Amino acid sequence: MKNCERMANVALAGLTLAPLVVKVEPNINVILTACLAVYVGCYRSVKPTPPTETMSNEHAMRFPFVGSAMLLSLFLLFKFLSKDLVNAVLTCYFFVLGIVALSATLLPAMKRFLPKHWNDDSIVWHFPYVRSLEIEFTRSQIIAAIPGTFFCAWYASQKHWLANNILGLAFCIQGIEMLSLGSFKTGAILLAGLFVYDIFWVFFTPVMVSVAKSFDAPIKLLFPTADAARPFSMLGLGDIVIPGIFVALALRFDVSRGKDSQYFKSAFLGYTVGLVLTIIVMNWFQAAQPALLYIVPAVIGFLAAHVLWNGEVKPLMEFDESKAGGSSEGGDKTNSTKKVE
């Protein structure tokens, strides 16, 4: 498992940098980059304890409405306020968020080269005058934040597509790694709601496309093209993270039963097929497409067909990470780390 994850990390890094030196077909770049990001995020999510943030059915039902409110708010901000002002505020926000996401993404690879006590001993820093507010971190996290700060500064000053993609991929990997749907029922509710959300805002209003073009922040991946009229192909991070957390749940379901990644393979294949269909239809009609329109049915359909074939619908539907809780080993590890204030 670890070897496959390392190979995927290397492939993702190489593919991200490749357009700097060679011409890469944008459509192939979109498919391979998104699939590799999902693959890496899924395997990073396999840990002794479930991901820290678990979504409930109620949260899944509300998510499309909350997302719609945020999308419409951004559309109105860009419509009635200066585009440069809005993007300047968003750049400051994503500067901080990007440092956190990129440092967390790089940390596992950097830990191996740092002293063990740098990884284990926590430092607690209290805010001046507000002692109740504190931040806990390790020396390793500080070291990992250095390249994160560099890339965020580069992005903020140049808005280069490569810096955008590096930060965007960090957001994707961290989102898939840290978020949990809890159960497949919650996942189905979320994907069904966002399936409708994506169709409505892309096909029936100009809001989604307008915000995507105006929003100058790493919420989308940019893939260079040879077309001067359309210099970049785009893929929203939501089209990677949302299906990705469902695919990751399938992998952790396989791991929880001590079996090979059989259902993960089905869900991952469904994601790949859905993304390929999106690209084919987009090029056929020469128009923006709601990627979840094709990805959601493919992911759920491939997984459902495999489960029905194996006759394991009941164990899959009864699987619930939110009830598993943290293992005692995980708690012991947390308590055993030293804290320095």
Side-chain angles (χ1 to χ4, degrees):
M1 183 183 291
K2 286 295 181 182
N3 289 334
C4 292
E5 184 186 339
R6 289 194 189 100
M7 290 175 61
N9 277 311
V10 172
L12 183 59
L15 188 62
T16 303
L17 297 172
L20 291 173
V21 292
V22 296
K23 182 180 178 181
V24 182
E25 167 58 39
N27 293 328
I28 296 175
N29 201 353
V30 169
I31 295 167
L32 292 179
T33 300
C35 289
L36 284 169
V38 169
Y39 188 92
V40 170
C42 287
Y43 274 95
R44 285 177 62 121
S45 76
V46 178
K47 300 175 181 179
T49 57
T52 54
E53 300 294 333
T54 303
M55 187 175 291
S56 65
N57 289 347
E58 292 74 20
H59 290 146
M61 292 177 186
R62 287 200 298 264
F63 196 90
F65 298 102
V66 174
S68 296
M70 292 181 65
L71 183 66
L72 190 57
S73 298
L74 285 170
F75 177 75
L76 294 174
L77 283 173
F78 282 118
K79 188 174 181 65
F80 295 109
L81 294 178
S82 166
K83 179 180 174 181
D84 293 336
L85 175 62
V86 175
N87 278 319
V89 174
L90 292 172
T91 297
C92 293
Y93 172 74
F94 279 97
F95 181 87
V96 177
L97 201 62
I99 293 174
V100 175
L102 193 53
S103 60
T105 304
L106 295 173
L107 186 59
M110 299 179 70
K111 273 184 175 181
R112 291 175 291 170
F113 305 100
L114 299 173
K116 188 175 185 299
H117 68 276
W118 283 22
N119 302 326
D120 297 336
D121 297 350
S122 297
I123 300 171
V124 179
W125 182 77
H126 295 276
F127 280 82
Y129 308 110
V130 189
R131 299 291 293 176
S132 58
L133 294 178
E134 62 181 36
I135 299 176
E136 185 176 332
F137 53 89
T138 64
R139 291 177 179 86
S140 296
Q141 289 174 322
I142 296 175
I143 299 300
I146 294 173
T149 304
F150 165 77
F151 276 108
C152 288
W154 180 31
Y155 173 77
S157 62
Q158 302 295 325
K159 296 295 177 74
H160 194 276
W161 65 265
L162 179 59
N164 173 91
N165 286 4
I166 289 172
L167 293 178
L169 288 171
F171 290 140
C172 289
I173 292 170
Q174 286 303 301
I176 297 171
E177 178 182 355
M178 303 304 295
L179 296 175
S180 170
L181 293 168
S183 67
F184 287 98
K185 181 180 178 182
T186 302
I189 293 171
L190 178 67
L191 290 184
L194 291 175
F195 172 80
V196 177
Y197 160 92
D198 219 22
I199 293 172
F200 175 77
W201 289 111
V202 173
F203 281 153
F204 297 99
T205 75
V207 173
M208 180 79 80
V209 175
S210 175
V211 170
K213 290 180 177 179
S214 302
F215 204 141
D216 193 6
I219 61 161
K220 55 186 180 290
L221 299 183
L222 301 174
F223 302 93
T225 69
D227 187 356
R230 190 172 65 96
F232 295 101
S233 292
M234 297 186 296
L235 181 67
L237 302 192
D239 299 326
I240 299 174
V241 177
I242 299 301
I245 56 179
F246 187 86
V247 178
L249 184 65
L251 177 60
R252 295 194 299 274
F253 173 65
D254 289 333
V255 171
S256 71
R257 303 195 308 160
K259 297 188 176 183
D260 293 334
S261 52
Q262 53 178 352
Y263 292 126
F264 164 72
K265 291 175 182 176
S266 300
F268 184 75
L269 179 61
Y271 177 78
T272 305
V273 170
L275 193 58
V276 170
L277 281 174
T278 304
I279 299 299
I280 291 173
V281 176
M282 182 185 69
N283 283 285
W284 182 272
F285 290 102
Q286 291 295 305
Q289 296 293 315
L292 295 182
L293 170 62
Y294 310 96
I295 293 173
V296 169
V299 170
I300 295 179
F302 274 64
L303 180 62
H306 195 173
V307 171
L308 288 170
W309 179 268
N310 289 347
E312 294 187 317
V313 175
K314 186 176 180 181
L316 182 129
M317 294 305 294
E318 289 178 347
F319 179 68
D320 192 341
E321 281 188 317
S322 62
K323 294 178 181 177
S327 65
S328 59
E329 290 181 5
D332 292 341
K333 284 183 181 179
T334 304
N335 294 331
S336 65
T337 56
K338 298 177 184 178
K339 291 187 179 181
V340 179
E341 300 194 26

